[in-house]
Amino acid sequence: RFCHSFMSELFRHIGPDTDVPAGDIGVGGREIGYLFGMYKKLKNEFSGVLTGKGLNWGGSLIRPEATGYGCVYFAAEMLATRNETLQGKTCLVSGSGNVAQYTVEKLLDLGAKPVTLSDSNGCIYDEAGITREKLAFVMNLKNVRRGRIKEYVDKYPSAVYTAIDPAADSNPLWNHKAECAFPSATQNEINAKDAQNLIRNGVKLVAEGANMPTTPDGVDLFLEHKLLYGPGKAANAGGVSVSGLEMSQNSMRLSWTREEVDNRLKLIMKSIHKAAWDAAERYNLKGNYVAGANIAGFTKVVDAMMDQGVV
């Protein structure tokens, strides 16, 4: 009822060539379906107005995986600038929803060792590594049973669960030895104290799967210590990228294979990395992905405005 009521007003402001919303926290395939059904009823048309749709009525393969996969692809590109790979690297991942799950899956594909997950109540640390079997348990726990991550320890007793105190000055998840960190939960989940803990524990790369998970003070510390730091506006662009691919498929009335969408996503993330890297280098800020992503995004908008006579 809420989705239908919301769309009864929102439909005036969106469209396949106007603005195309997608899901996020608390809005998954079910809610997109309800929203799309009401839009279709009100407009009497079937168009690619929402992304994250069901596969049997306009959705794209790889869309659920896109943000997590894309973030790992971006991290791999950052490491490549130092002639390194994710193979064998211990990785901290926060969250246990869509982004975190598929970040872990792609890390495993590339030979890394993810060791943490979390939800709003607490976090687990599995020193032995989160394997595919363990990930399958988490996916069932979160996607089907809607349980809490604490249950991971009941299934795998060698792991450690730590409750998260909202009033504490740091998150225990970010205080473990690792080489890479993938904040994939919520905004502001890494503060300055967390950033200090990550640096002290040997983390050399941070790739943001969530939107703005690091506070400005934390970002400053990452840049000061020359970490490979991929800000969300670049590193988590895989989700919106595959939303664009879903729109393309809708416009052409086609459905691409899983491999084709994944290959396109990988190429898009390589392109985004190159754009941020090149923009930073052009202004003598080599390796600063915050500046590079900001400059690349800004110049794209300004160039379009000038070309179209806006300024």
Side-chain angles (χ1 to χ4, degrees):
R1 291 199 301 272
F2 178 85
C3 290
H4 286 171
S5 179
F6 183 53
M7 185 54 77
S8 67
E9 180 58 35
L10 182 66
F11 86 98
R12 309 172 198 279
H13 309 288
I14 63 176
D17 300 309
T18 306
D19 198 1
V20 179
D24 207 284
I25 298 174
V27 181
R30 181 184 65 168
E31 292 74 26
I32 292 294
Y34 297 157
L35 291 164
F36 184 80
M38 179 54 82
Y39 180 87
K40 186 158 61 76
K41 178 179 179 180
L42 293 168
K43 296 286 286 185
N44 193 30
E45 66 179 37
F46 191 107
S47 58
V49 70
L50 290 152
T51 62
K53 300 186 290 298
L55 285 176
N56 59 344
W57 48 274
S60 174
L61 290 163
I62 303 291
R63 180 61 189 89
E65 297 93 331
T67 305
Y69 280 17
C71 188
V72 177
Y73 288 147
F74 193 91
E77 290 298 311
M78 289 196 291
L79 285 169
T81 66
R82 297 183 180 178
N83 296 315
E84 294 183 50
T85 70
L86 282 160
Q87 181 70 39
K89 287 187 168 53
T90 300
C91 301
L92 307 177
V93 181
S94 66
S96 53
N98 187 294
V99 179
Q101 291 170 19
Y102 291 112
T103 294
V104 168
E105 183 171 277
K106 187 53 65 176
L107 286 171
L108 291 172
D109 288 347
L110 298 184
K113 179 186 174 185
V115 293
T116 62
L117 284 169
S118 67
D119 59 23
S120 56
N121 294 126
C123 58
I124 60 102
Y125 172 67
D126 190 338
E127 188 175 4
I130 299 169
T131 62
R132 293 189 190 278
E133 175 199 330
K134 294 172 181 178
L135 176 60
F137 170 79
V138 172
M139 286 182 165
N140 179 265
L141 172 69
K142 286 295 181 178
N143 304 342
V144 179
R145 292 170 44 215
R146 306 283 180 177
R148 307 305 294 171
I149 199 66
K150 185 176 184 179
E151 294 181 44
Y152 183 98
V153 179
D154 298 333
K155 178 74 172 176
Y156 303 105
S158 61
V160 177
Y161 174 80
T162 307
I164 294 176
D165 179 2
D169 64 352
S170 63
N171 185 334
L173 184 146
W174 305 120
N175 198 11
H176 296 287
K177 295 284 185 184
E179 288 93 6
C180 305
F182 293 83
S184 307
T186 61
Q187 185 174 341
N188 297 333
E189 59 177 300
I190 296 178
N191 60 27
K193 180 70 178 293
D194 296 318
Q196 288 169 350
N197 287 339
L198 286 167
I199 293 164
R200 189 185 70 252
N201 281 302
V203 167
K204 303 298 182 186
L205 177 147
V206 178
E208 295 185 338
N211 291 319
M212 297 190 296
T214 310
T215 64
D217 288 346
V219 173
D220 289 343
L221 283 167
F222 291 155
L223 297 179
E224 179 186 333
H225 286 82
K226 307 295 184 186
L227 268 66
L228 290 169
Y229 169 61
K233 68 180 65 180
N236 74 22
V240 73
S241 298
V242 176
S243 282
L245 298 179
E246 182 175 330
M247 292 165 63
S248 297
Q249 291 169 82
N250 292 164
S251 296
M252 295 187 288
R253 303 297 194 267
L254 293 175
S255 181
W256 295 331
T257 65
R258 181 182 181 86
E259 291 73 23
E260 185 168 3
V261 178
D262 196 19
N263 286 334
R264 288 175 183 266
L265 169 61
K266 190 181 299 185
L267 289 172
I268 289 170
M269 296 312 297
K270 287 175 71 76
S271 175
I272 291 171
H273 175 271
K274 186 176 188 306
W277 178 270
D278 290 349
E281 193 170 39
R282 192 158 56 245
Y283 289 88
N284 298 316
L285 295 165
K286 186 175 180 179
N288 186 329
Y289 290 97
V290 175
N294 285 336
I295 293 167
F298 177 79
T299 54
K300 179 178 282 191
V301 174
V302 169
D303 288 345
M305 292 174 71
M306 293 180 68
D307 292 344
Q308 296 169 35
V310 179
V311 292

